[in-house]
Amino acid sequence: MSIIYVDLIDACHMKCPTCVRGTRLLPNSSRRIPMAQFERIVAKAKHEGYENVGLYNWTEPFLNARIADYIRVVKSLDLNCEVSTTLSFRGRTALIEESLRAGLNRLIVSVSGFTQELHQINHRGGNLAMVKANLEHMAQLMAREPIKTQILLRFLRFDHNQGEEPLVADYARQLGFAFEPLQGVGMVDNPISNYAHQEGYLERLRDYSPARLQMHDGEVCPLIMETVAVDANGMVSLCCANPNYPALEIGPYLELTREEIMIRRYAHPLCPSCAFPRRAATPEDHKHLLGALSVRLKATKEIGSLGESPGDRSGISTDLGSAGMLDGLKGRLKRWLAFS
Ligand SMILES: C[S@@+](CC[C@H](N)C(=O)[O-])C[C@H]1O[C@@H](n2cnc3c(N)ncnc32)[C@H](O)[C@@H]1O
Ligand code: SF4
Ligand code: SF4
């Protein structure tokens, strides 16, 4: 399943300690992605073969009052559309209804408890009564109208709330919604702001070592092959598992080819030391990677023949165009060719 995540807005009202947005490592701003820019992003994504559009990454999408219009743009291009939300707000009933009627395919509702007491430990600032009122309103609406949205109640599981998982599962069943437990990442009593500052990422970039500790030939990171994350400024970030810090920006989505985005991400100096689980590369992955590497090598050769340093045009701080990195790319290309 290939998916492009696009943040419609640059804010969240919650303060989850396990989230870079919740702890304001990513500070809220008033930025909203302009509709015309969004339309071009989705059209490009469709052209590049993405089948799904997620209107979220590190934000709360329902804070954008035009969410239903964005959903309509996605649906007009015949793509699947999904949203992840806390539903922890009041006064947005009409917006929720309009979003479902606009043809939203999937709505993920994240909770971390069945009682307010436990829910608010991770969903700090959350109000479970409002969440339940919105969920129950949707169930009633869907009983009256032919709305096809799949509603998925996602339970973020931590040590402190495991006992409430069956209660949330039962509740989802009663409402006719799907249920999914998901292991919560992070620690509720040790906020992510204690250890995931942009400075830490910059240090990892400065300490870059070519040793590929976590990368093995024939394996790929599924996030690079199947997903791309674009923030409310239209910038591609390294991946949806990491914050969209300026230090991890790949470049403007609309100005880069799919191949350039893939190669900048695949060769990113943070990945070799990242422990995110890889999977075996498929023939389709081979095709995409070889295509991207070939385009980059050809472009670099052409730039080189003009007498410029390839790094001058890369536009990013990770120095992908330097001679050392180019050798690395050539080496990888050879390995991939031998492998496929
Ligand atoms: C960062 S959230 C943004 C969307 C929305 N604000 C929400 O919380 O659903 C993106 C996804 O991450 C998931 N998520 C949030 N906190 C998490 C955690 N501590 N561990 C694992 N997944 C988490 C949510 O369920 C959501 O689908
Ligand atoms: S996990 Fe979602 S709800 Fe919680 S702070 Fe992050 S973006 Fe907001
Ligand atoms: S940083 Fe980790 S999760 Fe992100 S793309 Fe690289 S390997 Fe994948």
Side-chain angles (χ1 to χ4, degrees):
M1 182 184 95
S2 60
I3 182 163
I4 176 168
Y5 295 103
V6 186
D7 271 323
L8 303 183
I9 193 165
D10 188 32
C12 181
H13 59 316
M14 306 285 283
K15 295 202 165 169
C16 307
T18 54
C19 173
V20 281
R21 176 69 67 180
T23 53
R24 305 298 184 258
L25 282 177
L26 288 175
N28 287 343
S29 82
S30 57
R31 171 85 190 166
R32 283 164 170 68
I33 194 158
M35 193 59 76
Q37 186 182 12
F38 178 78
E39 284 170 358
R40 291 177 60 217
I41 287 173
V42 178
K44 180 173 183 272
K46 176 165 176 146
H47 182 70
E48 291 176 348
Y50 288 98
E51 296 152 346
N52 302 279
V53 181
L55 303 181
Y56 64 97
N57 188 26
W58 292 110
T59 56
E60 169 49 62
F62 276 99
L63 294 187
N64 189 319
R66 293 192 66 190
I67 182 171
D69 293 333
Y70 292 94
I71 295 169
R72 277 188 275 270
V73 167
V74 177
K75 295 313 297 174
S76 72
L77 289 172
D78 211 17
L79 295 170
N80 285 318
C81 189
E82 75 170 46
V83 160
S84 183
T85 174
T86 61
L87 280 190
S88 187
F89 31 73
R90 94 170 92 240
R92 283 182 165 76
T93 316
L95 200 56
I96 295 170
E97 288 184 358
E98 202 190 341
S99 300
L100 300 193
R101 288 185 185 126
L104 184 63
N105 298 86
R106 196 157 92 121
L107 183 69
I108 301 165
V109 181
S110 317
V111 297
S112 42
F114 186 71
T115 59
Q116 174 66 20
E117 189 193 356
L118 290 198
H119 176 68
Q120 69 188 1
I121 292 176
N122 179 53
H123 276 89
R124 196 167 294 166
N127 182 323
L128 201 62
M130 289 183 200
V131 181
K132 287 181 179 173
N134 284 325
L135 283 167
E136 286 160 30
H137 184 83
M138 287 195 303
Q140 286 158 12
L141 180 76
M142 291 173 76
R144 285 197 310 271
E145 294 187 22
I147 289 170
K148 301 234 163 42
T149 314
Q150 185 209 24
I151 313 284
L152 174 71
L153 197 49
R154 171 177 287 170
F155 179 80
L156 296 178
R157 185 197 290 142
F158 296 95
D159 286 347
H160 70 271
N161 68 1
Q162 293 191 20
E164 296 201 342
E165 184 177 325
L167 299 175
V168 177
D170 270 357
Y171 181 63
R173 224 180 341 264
Q174 281 164 28
L175 295 176
F177 297 158
F179 171 76
E180 174 190 77
L182 181 70
Q183 187 57 42
V185 176
M187 295 155 279
V188 290
D189 52 0
N190 183 15
I192 194 166
S193 48
N194 285 345
Y195 54 88
H197 286 266
Q198 175 168 245
E199 188 48 40
Y201 286 91
L202 288 170
E203 255 167 47
R204 280 173 68 188
L205 291 173
R206 277 195 293 271
D207 294 346
Y208 172 73
S209 149
R212 302 163 74 235
L213 296 176
Q214 306 283 349
M215 293 175 83
H216 306 288
D217 289 345
E219 287 184 357
V220 288
C221 173
L223 297 190
I224 293 183
M225 306 315 296
E226 293 152 27
T227 74
V228 66
V230 178
D231 69 19
N233 287 306
M235 297 298 286
V236 180
S237 53
L238 173 55
C239 63
C240 57
N242 283 294
N244 52 307
Y245 287 143
L248 300 185
E249 274 174 0
I250 294 297
Y253 182 69
L254 288 174
E255 290 171 30
L256 299 173
T257 62
R258 182 175 190 171
E259 289 82 10
E260 185 62 21
I261 291 172
M262 178 162 293
I263 204 62
R264 287 187 185 191
R265 296 175 69 202
Y266 180 70
H268 199 281
L270 210 64
C271 295
S273 60
C274 167
F276 192 88
R278 312 301 205 270
R279 64 159 168 73
T282 65
E284 194 69 1
D285 297 329
H286 289 193
K287 202 174 91 193
H288 284 141
L289 272 170
L290 285 170
L293 285 166
S294 304
V295 169
R296 164 51 80 97
L297 289 173
K298 187 164 172 282
T300 311
K301 202 171 147 206
E302 280 166 7
I303 294 166
S305 71
L306 293 173
E308 293 177 31
S309 153
D312 294 345
R313 290 199 178 176
S314 74
I316 53 171
S317 56
T318 48
D319 196 23
L320 293 182
S322 71
M325 189 60 84
L326 183 58
D327 284 346
L329 291 181
K330 278 181 183 158
R332 277 190 223 179
L333 180 57
K334 278 191 198 142
R335 272 203 295 276
W336 280 105
L337 282 168
F339 190 78
S340 57

